[in-house]
Amino acid sequence: ENATNDDGSCEYSVEYLLGGEWNISLLEYSTEIDLSDIPTVGVLLGLQQINGEAINAGFWSFQNDGLYNNNLNFTTEPLNIATFEIPGVPIDVSSNGNWNIEGNDDILMILDNNTSTTSYYDILSIQNDIVFLSGTIPFSQEIMGFSFDLELEVEMQLTK
């Protein structure tokens, strides 16, 4: 949908601009993970920060009918825990469901069909071929044989 202004110029709606296939060209991420419950070493490890950035970290696809699907696929930067460097953790999370624009056209609402989880992303900037989003991606991850439910704080640069 577009709107023609009084001066003859055109403005496209956020929904219209967001529609289509997007590459996650840059992803900055951070989360905390509490490793205290891991037997023997957990007490030494405690709460750890995981943060870094990834390039070409997956995709988002927004259809005009309000449906979306995505895949977040990257390996974290190596983690320094105590005196050890642990190799990066592979993250591979896919979801699909419904999307909607809320607020003053500055909030992307995502409803994941598989988990019934609603996530909100701030639309920091949007143009025809580039979008900047900031938000939280909930996901589960196995680390050292233990399953953790995490919330990944992200800033994403999407490009067409």
Side-chain angles (χ1 to χ4, degrees):
E1 301 168 32
N2 59 33
T4 304
N5 297 327
D6 291 340
D7 64 4
S9 65
C10 281
E11 272 186 54
Y12 293 95
S13 68
V14 171
E15 289 90 348
Y16 178 86
L17 290 172
L18 198 55
E21 303 285 325
W22 295 88
N23 178 43
I24 304 173
S25 50
L26 179 62
L27 174 76
E28 294 181 6
Y29 60 88
S30 66
T31 191
E32 286 184 345
I33 183 167
D34 188 352
L35 301 175
S36 301
D37 292 336
I38 295 178
T40 311
V41 296
V43 174
L44 302 173
L45 301 177
L47 193 64
Q48 296 292 323
Q49 293 282 339
I50 299 174
N51 53 49
E53 62 181 40
I55 296 172
N56 294 323
F59 73 88
W60 283 86
S61 176
F62 299 100
Q63 287 89 44
N64 293 341
D65 57 5
L67 298 178
Y68 83 91
N69 64 308
N70 70 8
N71 177 252
L72 189 64
N73 190 337
F74 68 98
T75 299
T76 66
E77 294 177 10
L79 312 175
N80 292 309
I81 298 178
T83 57
F84 305 102
E85 182 174 279
I86 295 176
V89 176
I91 307 287
D92 190 354
V93 181
S94 294
S95 72
N96 62 70
N98 298 86
W99 68 279
N100 195 22
I101 300 299
E102 297 183 352
N104 293 322
D105 285 347
D106 59 353
I107 296 173
L108 170 63
M109 186 278 300
I110 296 294
L111 175 59
D112 184 324
N113 281 350
N114 300 324
T115 63
S116 299
T117 302
T118 301
S119 302
Y120 297 92
Y121 297 88
D122 291 324
I123 301 171
L124 306 176
S125 171
I126 185 166
Q127 298 172 23
N128 284 338
D129 58 356
I130 191 166
V131 177
F132 292 93
L133 300 174
S134 173
T136 303
I137 299 174
F139 73 103
S140 296
Q141 183 67 41
E142 189 171 295
I143 298 174
M144 298 171 68
F146 295 86
S147 184
F148 294 90
D149 289 327
L150 302 173
E151 288 194 342
L152 199 62
E153 301 284 331
V154 296
E155 285 197 10
M156 291 181 278
Q157 175 183 313
L158 308 181
T159 52
K160 279 192 174 177

